[in-house]
Amino acid sequence: MTSRLWVKLFLSTLLLGGVVTSITGFIVRWDEFSSIFMPFDFLEVLSVLFWLFGVGLIFSIISQMGFFAYLTIHRFGLGIFKSHKLWNGVQVVLILFVLFDLVYFRYNAFAEQGDSLLPYIGLAAMLLAAGLITAFLKVRISTKETFIPALFFMIVVTTIEWVPILRVNEYSWVWLMIFPLIICNAYQLLILQKINEQSRMHRQQLDQKKNIPLKK
């Protein structure tokens, strides 16, 4: 990936994180922010929007750090296990383990006596659904071998990025963070192939220019 395309990916993901968090923030924290709309207070709305956008930039940076970390881990995994099938098997085990953790361990840590298990299952199911949709879309623009790595990234890496908020277990923050993470992660995963193709074309053009003989 050329530096110009990397900067383009970084800035577009940054903007996406800010916008998604701004929208999500007003939805999940409407009870808190509704008072600034009735009556409408422009400066107050602007300040809240600016704050949410800034938080979204932080979420986006976390997402990008996780994405590039996974690209490195994926290459290491292929190098260690020497086989796509074996490495995919390891990733499937980790996916199941993380989904189990999201339900069982969070329920044991935060549920009070008599609380239902369904909200914890629902949270894991939502992440699984987002991962499956993204993985299927990745297969459509790439190859079937990308399904498991895409699913692993969307579930395992997203959960790791989500851990600081999951440990606090504050309801509005849990939802405020997860949607930007899912969307930013899916965006990076789905656009990577296009950016790599653009990068290859750009390098080919540069090589062609270098090989053009100088006129005497």
Side-chain angles (χ1 to χ4, degrees):
M1 186 185 301
T2 62
S3 58
R4 181 173 63 85
L5 290 173
W6 179 84
V7 171
K8 181 180 178 181
L9 175 63
F10 174 77
L11 293 177
S12 61
T13 309
L14 204 63
L15 178 62
L16 183 63
V19 171
V20 172
T21 305
S22 299
I23 296 171
T24 305
F26 279 110
I27 294 174
V28 301
R29 303 183 69 173
W30 179 250
D31 291 342
E32 181 181 344
F33 296 143
S34 59
S35 60
I36 64 177
F37 289 93
M38 297 176 292
F40 185 80
D41 187 332
F42 176 77
L43 291 178
E44 190 70 19
V45 170
L46 191 63
S47 65
V48 171
L49 186 62
F50 181 78
W51 177 77
L52 287 171
F53 191 85
V55 171
L57 298 184
I58 296 173
F59 292 163
S60 173
I61 291 172
I62 293 172
S63 168
Q64 295 187 63
M65 290 171 61
F67 180 63
F68 284 100
Y70 173 69
L71 293 179
T72 303
I73 293 170
H74 184 63
R75 300 311 305 175
F76 273 121
L78 290 174
I80 292 171
F81 294 100
K82 307 295 183 182
S83 167
H84 279 279
K85 288 185 178 180
L86 185 57
W87 173 228
N88 283 345
V90 172
Q91 290 181 93
V92 169
V93 171
L94 292 174
I95 289 169
L96 295 175
F97 180 75
V98 167
L99 290 173
F100 177 79
D101 279 358
L102 274 176
V103 177
Y104 181 75
F105 287 110
R106 289 192 68 246
Y107 182 80
N108 281 347
F110 301 113
E112 298 179 0
Q113 188 174 3
D115 283 353
S116 173
L117 189 63
L118 289 178
Y120 297 88
I121 295 175
L123 198 64
M126 182 272 296
L127 183 60
L128 175 60
L132 288 171
I133 291 170
T134 305
F136 278 118
L137 291 175
K138 182 66 176 178
V139 168
R140 291 188 62 181
I141 63 175
S142 184
T143 62
K144 63 181 181 180
E145 286 76 17
T146 61
F147 181 83
I148 296 300
L151 188 63
F152 178 88
F153 173 68
M154 290 301 299
I155 293 177
V156 177
V157 178
T158 300
T159 301
I160 292 172
E161 296 166 349
W162 199 16
V163 162
I165 297 300
L166 289 176
R167 293 179 65 181
V168 176
N169 200 43
E170 206 286 317
Y171 177 82
S172 63
W173 278 97
V174 167
W175 292 104
L176 181 64
M177 188 177 191
I178 188 56
F179 287 112
L181 286 181
I182 288 175
I183 293 174
C184 287
N185 284 345
Y187 170 74
Q188 292 176 96
L189 192 63
L190 296 175
I191 203 173
L192 179 63
Q193 184 175 348
K194 180 180 178 181
I195 289 179
N196 284 336
E197 290 174 356
Q198 291 177 344
S199 181
R200 282 193 292 269
M201 291 176 61
H202 182 65
R203 285 199 173 94
Q204 289 175 358
Q205 291 172 355
L206 290 177
D207 291 339
Q208 289 174 358
K209 289 180 180 179
K210 290 178 181 179
N211 294 328
I212 295 175
L214 296 175
K215 293 183 179 179
K216 295 182 179 179

